[in-house]
Amino acid sequence: MRAATAFNRILRIPGATIPFGVAFTPKGIVVGLRRRRGKLRCPCGWQTRARYDRSVRRWRHLDLGGSRLWLQADVRRLECRRCRRVRTEEVPWARPGARHTRDFQDVVAWLAQRTDKTTITTLLRVSWEAVARIVATVVADQLDDARLDDLYRIGVDEVSYRKGHRYLTVVADHDRDGAVVWAAQGHDHTVLERFYDEVGDQRLARL
Ligand SMILES: [Zn+2]
């Protein structure tokens, strides 16, 4: 079996194939992706065939057998008529603007609900700053306002990073396996008040 075929079967990257290959570099394994043909899609949902420009990007993906793994692909920009500016197209394997793949971010967010920071940073070999950023991104992306509708039992965690100088407040829903429903920088009462504001009085009465 060709190496590219093997990587296609192992990684199963949505919307892309690995036609040429795979490079083993001192930083880790770099897998070159080719997008399946199609329109350029703005993160807002607007689509076009017209390309503004293109460049090569890399995303950190989950490690493969102890090696760091990077996905690399040509990414195009488009002039979005709805956003009225030039934006980078959306790719299926990563959230807009992210430096890590969706899978990597989801694993980080999942672990952040269940374990301590040393475990995450050691296991995934990422900085705690990256973990904090990823958790905030995943929470913002996955959860629309409906996530606050059925809250009954919640837990609030304060996670510190930068040697205890920065804090992240994380609210988890205990009736849904500890799913993170909200997160924000900071850890004083004003942060939680912002959460309660978003939840609203009606929903708050059920907590
Ligand atoms: Zn747009």
Side-chain angles (χ1 to χ4, degrees), residues 42-46 78 80-84 87:
C42 179
C44 79
W46 190 78
L78 59 108
C80 179
R81 276 193 213 140
R82 199 188 283 165
C83 301
R84 293 169 183 270
R87 297 196 68 179

Side-chain angles (χ1 to χ4, degrees), residues 1-173:
M1 190 191 293
R2 290 168 56 233
T5 310
F7 272 89
N8 273 313
R9 290 201 187 161
I10 294 165
L11 296 177
R12 295 179 185 280
I13 303 299
T17 55
I18 303 159
F20 318 114
V22 177
F24 294 86
T25 76
K27 270 186 91 178
I29 302 169
V30 179
V31 168
L33 298 181
R34 183 165 61 193
R35 308 285 306 280
R36 301 213 175 91
R37 274 187 191 285
K39 289 182 179 172
L40 289 75
R41 188 184 159 90
C42 179
C44 79
W46 190 78
Q47 297 187 37
T48 179
R49 290 200 180 279
R51 180 182 85 191
Y52 181 80
D53 63 7
R54 41 172 267 194
S55 58
V56 177
R57 286 222 189 159
R58 264 185 203 183
W59 299 261
R60 173 92 186 271
H61 193 45
L62 293 164
D63 290 356
L64 191 67
S67 295
R68 282 184 176 79
L69 183 63
W70 306 82
L71 304 182
Q72 179 173 298
D74 254 1
V75 165
R76 303 160 295 183
R77 291 196 301 165
L78 59 108
E79 275 185 290
C80 179
R81 276 193 213 140
R82 199 188 283 165
C83 301
R84 293 169 183 270
R85 62 186 172 97
V86 175
R87 297 196 68 179
T88 303
E89 70 172 323
E90 199 172 53
V91 295
W93 57 85
R95 293 183 172 89
R99 284 282 164 239
H100 299 83
T101 63
R102 201 175 272 278
D103 285 355
F104 191 99
Q105 291 187 321
D106 289 349
V107 168
V108 167
W110 188 85
L111 282 172
Q113 297 163 47
R114 288 163 176 83
T115 186
D116 60 281
K117 82 175 198 190
T118 314
T119 307
I120 303 174
T121 54
T122 309
L123 187 67
L124 295 178
R125 297 187 286 188
V126 279
S127 67
W128 182 244
E129 285 80 3
V131 171
R133 246 193 340 266
I134 287 169
V135 168
T137 306
V138 172
V139 169
D141 175 58
Q142 281 187 341
L143 309 160
D144 54 47
D145 194 52
R147 78 195 184 274
L148 302 175
D149 276 350
D150 296 310
L151 281 181
Y152 293 99
R153 292 186 304 134
I154 61 164
V156 178
D157 279 328
E158 286 164 10
V159 206
S160 75
Y161 60 104
R162 284 215 180 125
K163 295 189 180 120
H165 294 306
R166 296 277 189 89
Y167 290 86
L168 190 70
T169 296
V170 177
V171 180
D173 181 354

